[in-house]
Amino acid sequence: CSDLEHREVGDEIRELWLEYEQGTSIDAEVARQLDKFEMIVQANEYEVAHPEKRLDRFFESTKHAFSHEEVLSWAEALWAERAVRLQQVASAAVCATASTAVEGDSA
């Protein structure tokens, strides 16, 4: 490879990066939305692995980030799944608290 080829490849990568950062094309905007979606997928997986943790800021920061129809549908499905899981965690915590209180009363 010549220096010219390296420079051309470098220029192309730089142009694509700027396009992504500035969201100046449909492809760049979809890529940005996919990046945000992947972030909340990871946050959700972390919460599943650590039920005592809540990563609300990640989900709140993407509330209005999705406009691409398919990516938006994935995000809505993930938000709904998370809402059910958080409700289940809250219900389990209430049950555990009530059970502890009953055990303490009978002692």
Side-chain angles (χ1 to χ4, degrees):
C1 286
S2 70
D3 287 343
L4 178 60
E5 289 172 338
H6 287 292
R7 195 170 332 131
E8 288 172 353
V9 170
D11 288 346
E12 182 179 4
I13 290 170
R14 184 176 182 278
E15 290 293 321
L16 289 170
W17 177 253
L18 290 174
E19 181 181 317
Y20 170 81
E21 282 294 308
Q22 297 166 358
T24 55
S25 72
I26 293 171
D27 289 343
E29 186 55 37
V30 171
R32 290 169 59 94
Q33 290 181 36
L34 288 170
D35 192 35
K36 291 177 191 295
F37 177 70
E38 194 267 337
M39 176 187 70
I40 62 173
V41 167
Q42 284 189 29
N44 188 64
E45 289 173 353
Y46 185 86
E47 285 183 340
V48 168
H50 305 278
E52 73 283 0
K53 302 283 185 183
R54 295 267 311 258
L55 301 177
D56 295 331
R57 289 186 302 168
F58 289 94
F59 294 93
E60 291 167 8
S61 73
T62 60
K63 202 116 190 142
H64 304 287
F66 305 110
S67 58
H68 184 276
E69 187 177 323
E70 194 163 1
V71 180
L72 177 59
S73 71
W74 297 340
E76 289 171 340
L78 182 62
W79 291 326
E81 175 188 312
R82 181 177 185 253
V84 168
R85 181 177 41 77
L86 292 179
Q87 184 61 43
Q88 291 170 340
V89 168
S91 294
V94 168
C95 289
T97 301
S99 175
T100 302
V102 169
E103 289 173 7
D105 289 344
S106 64

